[in-house]
């Protein structure tokens, strides 16, 4: 299963991933997760290949990809910062974190022009007793105040 | 672990007649004086503990051990659920497990120097953890092992009563397992509170060759984290519960649908499933019986609605998570059209205990038709947030004031939202309401999954009502109009009310819209969104007069100490 150089086309990746999940019932979501893990997003070119692999219409696959918040159509920044905005974190000032990010020129859902950081909102990371919670590249931080968020964002922008 | 030691552990633990005896077993296995000089230190690997530095604390301990200064064995356990004390580390001493917390990584050296490994005194010393009043007052049934054991140690699992429920179940015919679960009074812990035994009976009654057990681990509601803690802290218990369900209904395949926001839970469950297979706890001929059952983890993709059971089934089938109309109920036509048990994590995780100790022992806990224990989750602006497992009937006041210690900010409590983002906001005047499905329903609220989110007096309830509608608009699957469009209209109408535009007419319109969403939505997403809105309006009408917006919630610092606010 070595793919090197020009072998790493979207089609090759999708076909290989799909083959690895053959025999699994209803495998479209696991395959989409795996494709995104390899390519960083689910590119448009993956849609017809997936449709072919799963014997679905392109519209069906498109519908699934766009239904779920996790599947990206474009690559994210090198660092993804997710601020929890659900009630438990709201009760401890999650709103002020969003405000802080915005003042730093980072709007929710957008990636900075230099590709350094994407700031997103998320509704609940299950850390409701230690909010406000922020996730940075998959790692949770509890009790995050604006100062710590600032440090996190500075670290990513300068990296 | 070979079979002979399995059965020894089994006979030791089935002799228990009550649940409260459980902590004795913990004490016994750990209070044995150390035969060697290695000190055993527990550092939680729960993601909440990790979010405040547990990994760094474990690293600091291991560094001290690597330098040869101390002889330490670090065990990564689950969390005891006293989350405000995390990272809470425990040292095994002849007197029991002595806790220290919250421990910053920089404090590890000082703790070691002070004699922590012998349980010595220190400003962070909490005493013997099992004896801490916050924990000792609880009735830990489902959470008995969480925080006590190494989640992936089969030996720990067996030594602490693991597999006793499955062994008992395998001795029984499927219909007798179903009867046992029915008689225990166990109701679905996911929120709806439907009796688990009745659901199982329906699936058992279907004659299909292929049946499924699906565990709904899409714990998307803010203020809930008990499912996550079970999966990270005691994964074998969930596997055991699902296996018992499979035996009870005749299912051969199981799916555990975990939300993608819980990567630690996904990793732990996958590892636990692999270990369970190696030990013959899953797969063909489980524990030497005729039962064949295997299980896999499926990861969601960031859609709140997939916590709704029929949406979850659609998602498992590889489709958009669109709600299905019921009937047919999933028990008859569920996953891939086959009879399917769909239960929440806590429901399935409680099943092993019900089988191990019998329906009667479980049934004796609780009040009225709310039997057994509920795992309350204290979150939001609360001083002592975490897991409180206790019998139904406990009051909100006991939970928020006694266990919770009031707000984290030190300001007065203004409201508590109970049961997630679709649950009611209750004022302090209702704090003596007992936690009981029916009592809450009668008061226009719901116990739901037992999540409580506390707010102090800086909260703007019109903004919270608006958020409820906004969240519904964002997360609606879009299949039915009352939910998809009603939520968007709800945001607009609340904005108009707050802005003072035709206030009376718009209040009437909001009321009408709430009726329509309640009665006309396909599932609980649209059907329950009016609950937080209406409760906010009923109990905090003044907030809708437009004057409260200026009250900014003060931010908290990373240290947990409040900054001087500007508001």
């Amino acid at each position: 299963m070595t793919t090197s150089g020009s072998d790493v086309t979207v089609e090759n990746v999708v076909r290989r991933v799909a083959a690895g999940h053959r025999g699994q019932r209803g495998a479209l979501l696991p395959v989409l997760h795996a494709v995104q893990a390899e390519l960083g997003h689910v590119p448009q070119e993956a849609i017809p290949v997936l449709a072919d692999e799963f014997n679905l219409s392109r519209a069906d696959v498109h519908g699934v990809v766009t239904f779920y918040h996790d599947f990206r159509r474009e690559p994210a920044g090198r660092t993804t910062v997710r601020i929890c905005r659900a009630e438990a974190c709201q009760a401890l000032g999650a709103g002020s974190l969003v405000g802080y990010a915005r003042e730093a020129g980072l709007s929710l859902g957008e990636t900075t022009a230099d590709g350094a950081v994407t700031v997103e909102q998320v509704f609940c990371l299950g850390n409701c007793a230690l909010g406000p919670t922020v996730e940075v590249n998959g790692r949770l931080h509890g009790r995050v105040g604006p100062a710590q968020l600032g440090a996190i964002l500075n670290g990513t922008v300068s990296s | 672990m070979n079979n002979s030691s399995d059965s020894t552990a089994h006979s030791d633990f089935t002799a228990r007649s009550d649940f409260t005896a459980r902590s004795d077993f913990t004490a016994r296995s750990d209070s044995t004086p150390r035969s060697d000089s290695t000190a055993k230190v527990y550092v939680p690997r729960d993601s909440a503990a990790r979010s405040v530095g547990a990994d760094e604390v474990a690293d600091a301990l291991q560094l001290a051990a690597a330098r040869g200064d101390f002889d330490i064995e670090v065990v990564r356990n689950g969390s005891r659920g006293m989350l405000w004390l995390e990272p809470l580390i425990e040292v095994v001493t002849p007197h029991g497990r002595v806790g220290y917390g919250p421990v910053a990584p920089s404090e590890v050296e000082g703790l070691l120097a002070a004699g922590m490994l012998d349980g010595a005194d220190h400003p962070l010393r909490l005493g013997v953890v099992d004896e801490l009043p916050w924990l000792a007052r609880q009735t830990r049934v489902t959470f008995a092992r969480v925080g006590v054991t190494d989640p992936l140690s089969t030996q720990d699992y067996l030594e602490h009563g693991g597999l006793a429920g499955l062994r008992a179940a395998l001795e029984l015919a499927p219909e007798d397992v179903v009867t046992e679960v029915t008689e225990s009074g166990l109701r679905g812990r996911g929120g709806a509170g439907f009796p688990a035994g009745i659901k199982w009976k329906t699936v058992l009654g279907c004659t299909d060759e292929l049946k499924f057990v699906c565990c709904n681990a899409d714990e998307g509601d803010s203020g809930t984290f008990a499912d996550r803690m079970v999966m990270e802290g005691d994964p074998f218990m969930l596997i055991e519960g699902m296996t018992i369900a499979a035996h009870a209904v005749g299912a051969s395949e199981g799916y555990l649908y975990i939300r993608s926001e819980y990567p630690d839970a996904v990793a732990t469950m996958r590892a636990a499933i692999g270990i369970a297979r190696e030990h013959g706890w899953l797969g063909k001929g489980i524990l030497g019986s005729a039962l064949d059952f295997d299980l896999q983890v499926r990861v969601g993709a960031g859609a709140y609605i997939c916590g709704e059971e029929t949406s979850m089934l659609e998602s498992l089938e590889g489709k958009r998570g669109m709600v299905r109309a019921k009937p047919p109920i999933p028990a008859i036509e569920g996953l891939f059209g086959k009879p399917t048990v769909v239960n929440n994590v806590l429901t399935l995780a409680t099943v092993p205990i019900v089988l191990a100790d019998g329906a009667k022992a479980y049934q004796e806990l609780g009040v009225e038709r709310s039997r057994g224990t509920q795992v309350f989750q204290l979150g939001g602006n609360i001083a002592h947030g975490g897991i409180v497992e206790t019998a139904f009937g406990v009051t909100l006041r006991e939970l928020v004031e006694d266990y919770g210690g009031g707000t984290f900010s030190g300001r007065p409590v203004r409201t508590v939202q109970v049961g997630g983002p679709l649950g009611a906001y209750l004022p302090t005047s209702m704090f003596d309401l007992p936690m009981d499905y029916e009592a809450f329903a009668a008061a226009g609220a719901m116990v739901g999954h037992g999540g409580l989110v506390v707010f102090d007096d800086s909260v703007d309830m019109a903004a919270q009502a608006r958020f409820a509608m906004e969240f519904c608009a964002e997360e609606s699957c879009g299949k039915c109009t009352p939910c998809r469009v009603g939520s968007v209209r709800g945001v607009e109408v609340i904005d108009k009310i707050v802005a003072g535009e035709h206030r009376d007419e718009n209040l009437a319109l909001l009321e009408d819209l709430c009726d329509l969403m309640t009665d006309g939505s396909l599932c609980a997403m649209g059907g329950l969104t009016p609950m937080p809105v209406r409760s906010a309006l009923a109990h905090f009408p003044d907030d809708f007069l437009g004057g409260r917006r200026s009250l900014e919630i003060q931010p908290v610092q990373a240290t947990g100490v409040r900054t001087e606010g500007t508001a």
Side-chain angles (χ1 to χ4, degrees):
Chain A
M1 208 180 291
T2 50
T3 49
S4 61
S6 59
D7 280 354
V8 191
T9 64
V10 169
E11 176 165 359
N12 284 349
V13 170
V14 172
R15 297 232 184 254
R16 171 164 50 76
V17 165
H21 287 78
R22 212 153 275 152
Q24 240 181 26
R25 296 181 200 271
L28 184 53
L29 258 67
V31 166
L32 286 169
H33 274 302
V35 167
Q36 179 154 301
E38 283 205 32
L39 301 175
H41 68 300
V42 181
Q44 186 60 32
E45 309 94 277
I47 307 282
V49 188
L50 286 161
D52 180 51
E53 286 285 342
F54 283 89
N55 196 22
L56 294 167
S57 72
R58 290 177 191 196
D60 282 333
V61 177
H62 175 85
V64 171
V65 173
T66 53
F67 182 84
Y68 296 96
H69 296 311
D70 282 2
F71 299 129
R72 299 177 184 285
R73 312 299 311 282
E74 303 290 335
R78 290 188 291 281
T79 300
T80 303
V81 176
R82 298 206 291 175
I83 302 171
C84 177
R85 295 190 82 189
E87 285 88 343
C89 286
Q90 283 175 20
L92 284 165
S96 69
L97 295 183
V98 175
Y100 183 92
R102 210 169 269 147
E103 277 172 31
L106 301 160
S107 297
L108 295 182
E110 288 179 18
T111 304
T112 51
D114 61 357
V117 58
T118 304
V119 180
E120 295 178 333
Q121 63 181 357
V122 60
F123 292 103
C124 201
L125 295 160
N127 197 29
C128 315
L130 293 172
T133 302
V134 170
E135 188 199 70
V136 184
N137 281 348
R139 198 191 156 154
L140 279 193
H141 298 264
R143 294 281 190 237
V144 176
Q148 194 188 347
L149 180 63
I152 291 168
L153 293 174
N154 284 335
T156 63
V157 173
S158 61
S159 66
Chain B
M1 181 64 46
N2 61 37
N3 277 336
S4 63
S5 57
D6 280 11
S7 55
T8 317
H10 173 56
S11 58
D12 276 349
F13 291 101
T14 43
R16 280 175 292 123
S17 60
D18 65 6
F19 294 107
T20 46
R22 182 135 321 200
S23 57
D24 294 343
F25 291 87
T26 317
R28 190 188 57 192
S29 62
D30 271 341
S31 61
T32 329
R34 297 199 302 264
S35 53
D36 54 55
S37 59
T38 306
K40 199 172 191 180
V41 183
Y42 288 87
V43 183
R45 48 178 268 175
D46 178 274
S47 50
R50 296 180 66 207
S51 83
V52 288
D55 286 350
E56 290 79 0
V57 168
D59 288 348
L61 283 163
Q62 257 143 0
L63 188 68
R67 279 199 313 260
D69 302 345
F70 298 93
D71 195 1
I72 301 169
E73 180 198 351
V74 175
V75 180
R76 302 300 300 267
N77 55 332
S79 168
R80 297 274 196 159
M82 294 182 282
L83 295 173
W84 78 100
L85 292 174
E86 293 292 0
L88 190 170
I89 68 179
E90 297 175 48
V91 182
V92 179
T93 76
H95 311 290
R97 281 161 63 158
V98 174
Y100 296 84
V103 177
S106 59
E107 289 168 316
V108 169
E109 289 289 334
L111 277 163
L112 288 169
M116 175 192 87
L117 298 180
D118 296 310
D121 207 13
H122 187 278
L124 296 177
R125 188 181 189 274
L126 302 165
V128 174
V129 174
D130 280 330
E131 294 167 6
L132 295 177
W134 202 83
L135 201 54
R137 280 168 68 197
Q138 301 187 28
T139 308
R140 292 245 169 150
V141 177
T142 310
F143 266 68
R145 266 182 307 261
V146 178
V148 175
T149 55
D150 172 350
L152 293 175
S153 161
T154 52
Q155 190 180 340
D156 263 12
Y157 190 64
L158 294 171
E159 282 177 3
H160 289 83
L163 294 194
L166 178 57
R167 288 177 197 285
L170 291 173
E171 298 287 313
L172 300 174
E175 46 274 24
D176 295 332
V177 178
V178 172
T179 304
E180 198 72 5
V181 171
T182 307
E183 285 180 354
S184 75
L186 178 64
R187 291 168 70 168
R189 293 293 187 249
F194 190 81
I198 308 280
K199 198 182 267 186
W200 290 19
K201 193 172 184 192
T202 306
V203 181
L204 174 64
C206 296
T207 52
D208 301 55
E209 285 276 303
L210 183 61
K211 298 179 189 177
F212 298 104
V213 175
C214 289
C215 176
N216 187 340
D218 193 334
E219 185 179 51
D221 284 357
S222 180
T224 59
F225 43 86
D227 292 356
R228 179 186 63 68
M229 289 185 65
V230 161
M231 291 187 283
E232 292 181 18
D234 197 3
F236 294 128
M237 172 171 62
L238 182 55
I239 294 171
E240 185 181 345
M242 290 183 74
T243 310
I244 292 170
H247 171 59
V249 305
S252 53
E253 286 182 34
Y255 290 87
L256 177 54
Y257 188 90
I258 308 178
R259 62 199 299 257
S260 60
E261 291 85 349
Y262 286 178
D264 287 13
V266 169
T268 306
M269 286 306 317
R270 282 191 168 142
I273 287 169
I275 295 167
R277 270 191 208 119
E278 282 169 22
H279 284 73
W281 301 358
L282 281 174
K284 294 221 176 288
I286 291 172
L287 297 179
S289 73
L291 177 64
D292 297 342
F293 177 69
D294 212 339
L295 169 58
Q296 58 172 289
V297 169
R298 284 289 173 92
V299 181
Y304 174 79
I305 193 61
C306 292
E308 196 280 334
E309 65 175 354
T310 62
S311 298
M312 183 193 74
L313 295 173
E314 291 285 302
S315 186
L316 276 169
E317 291 180 7
K319 303 173 190 160
R320 295 161 68 97
M322 305 281 275
V323 172
R324 293 180 187 170
K326 289 190 275 193
I329 55 172
I332 294 169
E333 276 182 46
L335 188 62
F336 301 106
K338 299 295 176 188
T340 305
V341 167
V342 182
N343 279 135
N344 172 257
V345 172
L346 290 181
T347 318
L348 289 162
T350 304
V351 164
I353 287 295
V354 169
L355 268 295
D357 291 353
K360 192 163 173 289
Y362 193 77
Q363 212 268 340
E364 278 169 1
L365 298 164
V367 291
E368 304 290 330
R369 285 166 54 208
S370 301
R371 309 311 311 181
T373 59
Q374 172 66 292
V375 179
F376 297 101
Q377 299 135 81
L378 313 184
N381 193 336
I382 191 156
H384 299 159
I387 290 287
V388 176
E389 182 172 5
T390 183
F392 279 101
V394 64
T395 64
L396 263 178
R397 190 179 306 285
E398 287 172 77
L399 290 170
V400 175
E401 294 178 2
D402 299 349
Y403 283 102
T407 62
F408 178 69
S409 60
R411 297 170 67 135
V413 174
R414 184 147 191 256
T415 184
V416 177
Q417 188 178 28
V418 185
L422 312 179
Y425 285 101
L426 300 176
T428 50
S429 60
M430 290 172 77
F431 269 24
D432 292 314
L433 202 59
M435 284 288 184
D436 153 356
Y437 289 113
E438 279 70 31
F440 259 63
M446 63 174 185
V447 172
H449 39 49
L452 276 67
V453 176
V454 178
F455 291 81
D456 73 13
D457 63 350
S458 63
V459 67
D460 173 354
M461 295 307 295
Q464 295 309 119
R466 183 186 196 277
F467 177 76
M469 286 291 190
E470 205 185 347
F471 183 70
C472 182
E474 175 78 16
E475 294 294 340
S476 170
C477 83
K479 186 161 181 169
C480 72
T481 318
C483 175
R484 183 185 67 244
V485 180
S487 54
V488 175
R489 293 285 172 263
V491 172
E492 293 166 3
V493 176
I494 292 171
D495 281 347
K496 285 180 186 164
I497 291 167
V498 173
E501 277 178 48
H502 307 287
R503 187 167 277 137
D504 291 344
E505 289 90 330
N506 276 312
L507 280 167
L509 189 61
L510 181 60
E511 195 57 35
D512 189 39
L513 183 64
C514 284
D515 276 341
L516 179 87
M517 288 177 73
T518 305
D519 298 340
S521 297
L522 260 179
C523 82
M525 174 100 217
L528 288 176
T529 294
M531 192 179 272
V533 176
R534 280 186 154 139
S535 60
L537 259 173
H539 302 303
F540 307 96
D542 292 352
D543 286 21
F544 291 79
L545 299 179
R548 223 184 149 79
R549 283 289 157 95
S550 58
L551 264 180
E552 274 277 306
I553 297 175
Q554 298 179 21
V556 287
Q557 278 186 331
T559 53
V561 181
R562 222 155 225 278
T563 53
E564 288 302 311
T566 50

